[in-house]
Amino acid sequence: MTVRLTLISPATSGALRDVGFDDDSPLDPEGIARAESLASAVGPSSRAYSSPSARCRRTAEALGLPAEPVTELAGCAMGRWRGQTLAAVAAAEEAAVGAWLSDPTAAPHGGESLRALRVRVGAWLDGLRADSGRVTVVAEPDVIRAALVHALGAPDEAAWRLDVRPLTAVHLSGRAERWNLRVGDPLVPAQTPTATGQAAGRFHSRSSR
């Protein structure tokens, strides 16, 4: 059987907006409103999960998903950089940031390396049962990048080349060691048929008789 996995990035929070290392900050009001407006865009699934962060759990709630937080889907542990902006860290620790950006095994912040994150997320991904059916996950952007790199068998450094925007979805289908990727569908709310569209439908229906 084939697993059909949809990975949704969270709505905006202070850390996402300021290009910072997450300190479990909540969604901002605009992010909540945007997620709620997109709830109709999320299709039904057999199972729903989320990263354990506040912004992912709140995004799942706003999207109408009864998501179970999963520890293995936590964002990368950033050690002493947690809660700081990338600009501030780069100004204070230029060499350390350079090592972190160039070496996927480096963890100069005292937390988790990019490779360790990919291995952790990849183990969860490959552990999905073949009979899982449709699975929806609201996950941190770095978790989504790690999942995609693992699924495609790409080098860890490729994660830096993947841009994950707020409230977008990517789709994986397959199973362990054989995944196919459908890239970056924006979440668009379902449209109520307009009077013009309904009239056109009735016209086509009559004309086809």
Side-chain angles (χ1 to χ4, degrees), residues 10 12 86 92 98 129 194 196:
T12 52
L86 178 57
R129 291 164 53 96
T194 63
T196 301

Side-chain angles (χ1 to χ4, degrees), residues 6-11 16 49-53 55-57 59-60 73-75 121 124 136-145 147 164-165 167-168:
T6 297
L7 297 160
I8 300 175
S9 54
L16 284 176
Y49 304 103
S50 77
S51 295
S53 63
R55 65 186 177 194
C56 286
R57 289 184 285 110
T59 297
L73 297 177
V121 173
W124 179 87
T136 302
V137 177
V138 178
E140 294 292 343
D142 58 355
V143 170
I144 294 176
R145 289 193 293 267
V164 180
R165 301 296 179 91
L167 288 174
T168 56

Side-chain angles (χ1 to χ4, degrees), residues 117-157:
L117 171 67
R118 192 265 305 161
V119 169
R120 167 164 60 82
V121 173
W124 179 87
L125 180 64
D126 288 343
L128 287 173
R129 291 164 53 96
D131 61 355
S132 295
R134 293 186 179 274
V135 179
T136 302
V137 177
V138 178
E140 294 292 343
D142 58 355
V143 170
I144 294 176
R145 289 193 293 267
L148 297 180
V149 167
H150 180 82
L152 297 175
D156 293 314
E157 296 89 337

Side-chain angles (χ1 to χ4, degrees), residues 25-100:
S25 58
L27 296 182
D28 56 36
E30 293 82 4
I32 294 173
R34 178 64 175 157
E36 290 176 342
S37 74
L38 294 172
S40 62
V42 180
S45 59
S46 303
R47 295 170 175 80
Y49 304 103
S50 77
S51 295
S53 63
R55 65 186 177 194
C56 286
R57 289 184 285 110
R58 184 66 180 92
T59 297
E61 179 184 346
L63 292 172
L65 290 169
E68 174 189 346
V70 176
T71 302
E72 290 84 353
L73 297 177
C76 191
M78 297 308 298
R80 66 176 180 275
W81 294 355
R82 187 173 187 266
Q84 300 188 59
T85 65
L86 178 57
V89 172
E93 302 184 51
E94 183 178 359
V97 171
W100 176 64

